[in-house]
């Protein structure tokens, strides 16, 4: 492993640390907090003081003051940048439907029941007149033929009510609201009424880039690419992943090569190496070397433009542009300082890149390759050209896997066992595919040759998909449902750092620190497992498209009652997957219409579990019926499908609490809430409260 150089040799790494700290603390604690402003003000004052004092204190022991001052000021820069970004994206929306002027900034995406449009709202019209705004939202439109006329840059009017991003409140569910805010999305809306205002398009640089990408996608279709071949080619060359099927994404993920489908550092690096190889003779003289590197930078940014200027591509092109600039004075390799400069510039532009998964994975992977790969490569002496290439590829894959493993486990809860074997085949294949694709585009002036190259490209992509699917189907291809916390990730990287220091310096303190990190990781997991309650409970999920109640007897035994029997597991996947993995819950048994076993009884919509009676009202079967002796129910659960009033049900049930499911329309929810208030009934709205947990 490379000998750990002095931290002072990498000044931009020292700049990145306080910037990251400021971004994280502002996003997590400081935003709109008075004490956060106080901390920032103190840091700014101390930073200025520490920068001024060394001018008057010419003392060696005070040399640290300048560094401390720089640290404090960069910390404040991180806080201020994040605060500014958050203030731009947070917006107070009207509580009623309003007319907005919108501009489509991305091509529409087809969803299961609607069309998703990313639009920028430029003004709004209400009783006070027309007010200018500049907010980006996700707008869902119904599927109809008129949608097909929309393209990037179109301007139209839309009549809708915009809501701020919010979460469903299910336990351990993905924080979708924060994710949207960090992507610059201020709200979401659904609209049935919209009208195109002009056939002329409004173009920005990014929208123009998106148009070029759309033209290339149409070219792929004209050349005969369809299905998985088209989806993979679009992902590899243009970063367009909307056409990727769930099956192909799962295959690449399980095989451990999903990173090749994300257009980023690997693909930009291959393009850079290809251009560098063809122009290698220009390195003999300094003037020609400078011209060559400027040409490489122009080519990389042109490629980024035609692929739509996606953040991952811009990030990678920025890093390789810095590499080109550093090579103008000589053949310098990528260093941690180059990596630090790229990260610093990217976070100055958008502080929320820090939370982008691809940003984290790409920089950690490159850092691991820079630090670990030379040490691994030197452990085995190889001379034959083929083995030199294979050993280099193996060590790069191992180094990148070591560096990214903690983040992969944290975000995806999966570890691919056969990643090394898969990467040995897939990365060369991807390299060949990219170069053949470039050749196909270059021969656009000669259609016959272009079609021949397209046929070869189809065969290569088909082979790549077949091999990946084969690796996915091998026994024990991946370890799934791994639960890792953010503390575990930090401890993992500390463990790697101390372990690397021990291997290079043979420091027993580093070894002891590494073992201590391992002990803390194991100890926290054992403690969390011991703390996990095995007591029974009832959990009502906030899943608008799938009304469901989960009856949990223990981690190994639970039951699920739902009105969507045929597709309940698929519909609940995103709402429950993280929670079930964390709690180590086995897959629940779907309750049939009649069931009486193991402490749970179900007849129709009435369920008895641990002295609690729940009545699921999902249709009108109870409507207009009466009982001589009303049944006492602890929770009357009303979801979509029931069209009657609650007063009809009081003739059958003695109701203690009403639970209004999120599947109810806004009109029905308002009517039922008003009726509960008039009847003086206790009620809970799942769409407003989130999931309901009932401990027994």
């Amino acid at each position: 492993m490379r000998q750990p150089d002095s931290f002072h040799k990498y000044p931009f790494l020292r700049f990145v640390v306080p910037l990251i700290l400021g971004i994280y603390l502002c996003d997590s604690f400081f935003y709109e907090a008075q004490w956060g402003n106080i901390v920032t003000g103190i840091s700014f004052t101390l930073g200025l003081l520490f920068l001024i004092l060394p001018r008057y204190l010419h003392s060696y022991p005070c040399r640290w003051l300048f560094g401390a001052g720089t640290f404090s000021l960069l910390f404040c820069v991180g806080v201020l940048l994040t605060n500014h970004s958050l203030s731009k994206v947070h917006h107070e929306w009207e509580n009623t439907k309003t007319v907005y002027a919108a501009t489509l900034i991305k091509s529409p995406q087809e969803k299961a029941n609607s069309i998703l449009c990313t639009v920028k709202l430029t003004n709004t019209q209400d009783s006070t007149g027309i007010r200018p705004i500049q907010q980006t939202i996700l707008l869902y439109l119904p599927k109809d033929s008129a949608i097909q006329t929309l393209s990037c840059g179109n301007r139209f009017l839309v009549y809708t009510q915009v809501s701020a991003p919010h979460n469903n409140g299910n336990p351990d569910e993905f924080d979708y609201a924060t994710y949207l805010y960090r992507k610059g999305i201020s709200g979401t809306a659904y609209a049935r009424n919209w009208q195109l205002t002009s056939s002329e398009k409004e173009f920005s640089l990014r929208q123009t880039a998106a148009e070029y990408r759309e033209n290339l996608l149409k070219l792929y279709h004209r050349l005969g690419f369809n299905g998985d071949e088209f989806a993979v080619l679009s992902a590899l060359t243009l970063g367009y992943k909307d056409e990727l099927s769930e099956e192909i994404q799962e295959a690449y993920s399980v095989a451990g090569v999903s990173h090749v489908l994300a257009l980023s550092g690997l693909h930009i690096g291959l393009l850079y190496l290809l251009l560098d190889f063809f122009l290698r003779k220009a390195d003999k003289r300094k003037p020609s070397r400078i011209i060559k590197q400027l040409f490489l930078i122009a080519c990389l940014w042109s490629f980024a433009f035609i692929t739509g200027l996606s953040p991952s591509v811009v990030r990678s092109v920025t890093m390789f542009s810095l590499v080109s600039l550093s090579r103008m004075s000589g053949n310098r390799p990528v260093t941690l300082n180059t990596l630090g400069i790229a990260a610093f510039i990217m976070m100055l532009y958008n502080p929320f890149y820090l939370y982008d998964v691809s940003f984290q994975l790409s920089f950690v992977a490159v850092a691991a390759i820079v630090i670990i790969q030379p040490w691994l490569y030197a452990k085995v002496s190889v001379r034959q050209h083929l083995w030199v290439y294979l050993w280099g590829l193996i060590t790069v894959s191992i180094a990148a896997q070591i560096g990214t493993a903690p983040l992969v486990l944290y975000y995806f809860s999966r570890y691919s066992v056969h990643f090394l074997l898969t990467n040995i085949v897939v990365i060369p294949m991807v390299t060949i595919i990219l170069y053949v694709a470039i050749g196909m585009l270059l021969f656009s002036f000669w259609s016959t040759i272009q079609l021949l190259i397209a046929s070869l490209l189809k065969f290569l992509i088909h082979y790549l998909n077949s091999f990946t699917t084969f690796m996915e189907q091998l026994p024990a291809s991946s370890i799934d449902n791994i639960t890792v916390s953010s503390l575990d990730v930090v401890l993992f990287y500390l463990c790697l750092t101390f372990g690397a220091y021990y291997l290079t310096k043979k420091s027993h303190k580093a070894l002891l620190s590494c073992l201590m990190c391992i002990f803390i990781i194991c100890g926290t997991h054992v403690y969390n497992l011991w703390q996990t309650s095995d007591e029974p409970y009832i959990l009502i999920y906030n899943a608008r498209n799938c009304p469901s109640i989960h009856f949990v007897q223990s981690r190994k035994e639970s039951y699920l009652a739902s009105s969507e029997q045929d597709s309940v597991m698929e519909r609940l996947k995103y709402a429950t997957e993280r929670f079930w993995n964390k709690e180590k819950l086995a897959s629940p048994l779907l309750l049939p219409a009649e069931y009486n076993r193991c402490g749970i009884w179900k007849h129709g919509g009435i369920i008895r579990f641990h002295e609690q009676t729940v009545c699921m009202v999902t249709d009108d079967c109870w409507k207009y019926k009466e009982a001589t002796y009303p049944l006492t129910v602890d929770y009357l659960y009303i979801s979509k499908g029931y069209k009657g009033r609650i007063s009809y049900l009081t003739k059958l049930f003695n109701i203690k609490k009403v639970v209004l499911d999120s599947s109810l329309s806004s009109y029905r929810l308002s009517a039922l809430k008003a009726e509960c208030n008039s009847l003086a009934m206790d009620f809970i709205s799942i769409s407003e409260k989130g999931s309901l947990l009932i401990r027994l």
Side-chain angles (χ1 to χ4, degrees), residues 83-119:
N83 191 74
H84 176 67
S85 298
L86 287 172
S87 63
K88 284 200 306 182
V89 76
H90 283 270
H91 185 77
E92 293 292 331
W93 297 102
E94 300 289 337
N95 293 325
T96 58
K97 287 188 175 182
T98 309
V99 176
Y100 295 95
T103 302
L104 188 64
I105 60 176
K106 286 185 180 179
S107 298
Q109 300 177 23
E110 185 173 355
K111 299 297 181 180
N113 301 310
S114 60
I115 301 294
L116 172 61
C117 300
T118 304
V119 301

Side-chain angles (χ1 to χ4, degrees), residues 3-17:
Q3 295 291 332
D5 299 317
S6 171
F7 198 52
H8 295 279
K9 292 184 178 180
Y10 307 113
F12 270 92
L13 283 184
R14 293 188 290 161
F15 292 167
V16 167
V17 172

Side-chain angles (χ1 to χ4, degrees), residues 457-473:
L457 194 56
K458 290 176 194 175
F459 170 77
L460 292 173
I461 296 174
H462 176 74
Y463 176 78
L464 174 66
N465 291 341
S466 300
F467 175 77
T468 306
T469 303
F470 169 75
M471 295 302 297
E472 175 207 11
Q473 295 171 351

Side-chain angles (χ1 to χ4, degrees), residues 397-523:
S397 296
I398 293 175
Q401 194 75 11
I402 291 173
T404 58
L407 289 175
V408 170
L409 294 177
Y410 177 69
Y411 286 115
F412 307 109
S413 302
R414 167 179 286 165
Y415 182 79
S416 301
V417 176
H418 306 312
F419 76 92
L420 189 57
L421 177 59
T422 311
N423 276 277
I424 290 176
V425 177
V426 167
I427 291 181
M429 281 294 301
V430 169
T431 305
I432 296 171
I433 287 171
L434 285 174
Y435 292 160
V436 173
I438 292 172
M440 181 184 70
L441 295 176
L442 291 177
F443 276 93
S444 58
F445 63 91
W446 194 347
S447 59
T448 304
I449 299 298
Q450 189 178 47
L451 288 172
L452 288 174
I453 298 176
S455 299
L456 173 62
L457 194 56
K458 290 176 194 175
F459 170 77
L460 292 173
I461 296 174
H462 176 74
Y463 176 78
L464 174 66
N465 291 341
S466 300
F467 175 77
T468 306
T469 303
F470 169 75
M471 295 302 297
E472 175 207 11
Q473 295 171 351
L474 288 178
S477 55
S478 68
I479 304 173
D480 296 326
N481 302 328
I482 302 173
T483 303
V484 174
S485 66
S486 55
L487 175 62
D488 292 331
V489 174
V490 174
L491 291 171
F492 276 141
Y493 281 115
L494 287 176
C495 184
L496 288 174
T497 303
F498 291 131
Y501 194 81
Y502 170 74
L503 290 174
T504 55
K505 294 293 186 179
K506 302 301 180 183
S507 169
H508 294 290
K509 291 183 178 179
L511 178 60
L512 182 62
S513 300
C514 180
L515 294 175
M516 183 62 68
C517 290
I518 295 174
F519 174 77
I520 295 174
I521 292 172
C522 295

Side-chain angles (χ1 to χ4, degrees), residues 40-71:
T40 306
I42 293 174
S43 298
F44 183 77
T45 304
L46 290 176
L48 290 178
L49 184 63
F50 288 161
L51 289 178
I52 294 172
L53 281 178
R55 295 177 176 269
Y56 304 99
L57 299 176
H58 301 287
S59 174
Y60 183 75
C62 297
R63 66 191 185 281
W64 59 272
L65 289 176
F66 183 82
T70 305
F71 188 98

